[in-house]
Structures are given as structure tokens and as C-alpha cells.
Amino acid sequence: MGNLSEEPAVVVAMGVPGCGKPATGILLAQRLKVPFLDADELHPAANRAKMTAGRPLTEDDRQPWLMAVSA
């Protein structure tokens, strides 16, 4: 394990829908003085529409999102 005083390269917050991940992430980023990115913003428009409609994403739907997250 690295030195805890070092700045993290990436912090990932995960949880169930509606638990406050973006709000927590924004506050944490402000506290750490680092940029914040909500990974949901990396979904293609079709995925966001599907999620808004309450329809689950398939593994094929997730592929472009996973590529964007890894980039």
C-alpha cells in the first residue's frame, strides 16, 4: 500500500441508484481539490434515455460506456 498522504489517482464512488453518489463525489472532489466526473455522463444518449425510462441496460449497451470510462 502506498503512502496515505499521496493524492489518489482516481476515486470511484459506487452505490445503488438514488443514494447520493454525485453529491458525495462533488463534495469529496471539492475537499480534495480535484476534478469531478459523473460517469453517467459518459453513457451514450440512447443509454441515458433507456435508464431514464427505467429500462435496464444490456451488456452490449454498457460496452461503449466501459470503453469511455477506461479512456
Side-chain angles (χ1 to χ4, degrees), residues 2-63:
N3 182 340
L4 293 179
S5 67
E6 294 175 9
E7 291 185 34
V10 176
V11 174
V12 178
M14 301 185 320
V16 298
C19 70
K21 295 176 298 289
T24 302
I26 290 167
L27 291 173
L28 182 60
Q30 289 171 345
R31 176 76 181 230
L32 295 174
K33 296 179 175 54
V34 297
F36 170 77
L37 172 67
D38 185 336
D40 280 350
E41 296 172 11
L42 300 176
H43 276 288
N47 285 8
R48 289 193 301 272
K50 207 172 184 183
M51 291 185 293
T52 298
R55 298 191 339 253
L57 298 179
T58 66
E59 292 306 310
D60 287 340
D61 292 333
R62 288 186 182 94
Q63 191 60 38

